[in-house]
Amino acid sequence: MKKFIPIITSIISVFALTSCSHRLADTWRVTHYEIQNSNFQTARVTNIGTMSFDNNNRGNKNLEFNFFNTQIRDVSPFSWDDSKNFIVIKSDNSDLSRTWKKVQNKSKVQKWVSEDNPDEKRILVLRR
């Protein structure tokens, strides 16, 4: 029986560590990003890079895209807060720094919408 105690302890430790892992903790591909403004202009880009979320509510973006003839490169850290219906991304000088409403919250796909500004709507889709 004494031989099984270290094995049982190891198994319990693995389950304890994995159960503390947040659903977002991983590197996600940003497969869709869109801005719709009140002038009926829409800018849509696909496969623009990655966002990595850590369990300590920190992360890193590695994004590159072109919106309305403006080239944007966003390689920077961010912090994030998650609730049942919303996620808040905080990052200096970042297009994605805002409050996002979760429209789809699946293990392989996240779809978020932001309407912080009444003159525009933003849509972000992340995939594992």
Side-chain angles (χ1 to χ4, degrees), residues 33-45 67-70 119-123:
Y33 184 40
E34 181 176 329
I35 298 178
Q36 304 167 354
N37 68 25
S38 61
N39 296 331
F40 303 105
Q41 291 179 313
T42 298
R44 183 177 300 119
V45 291
F67 264 166
F68 303 113
N69 295 322
T70 302
D119 294 330
E120 69 180 23
K121 177 180 178 179
R122 295 176 185 242
I123 301 167

Side-chain angles (χ1 to χ4, degrees), residues 69-84:
N69 295 322
T70 302
Q71 186 66 27
I72 299 169
R73 181 162 168 75
D74 188 351
V75 179
S76 60
F78 64 92
S79 63
W80 56 278
D81 292 310
D82 188 18
S83 68
K84 182 178 179 182

Side-chain angles (χ1 to χ4, degrees), residues 29-33 45-50 63-65 127:
R29 293 176 296 116
V30 180
T31 59
H32 181 94
Y33 184 40
V45 291
T46 58
N47 300 315
I48 63 172
T50 60
L63 307 171
E64 191 167 349
F65 54 98
R127 293 184 188 277

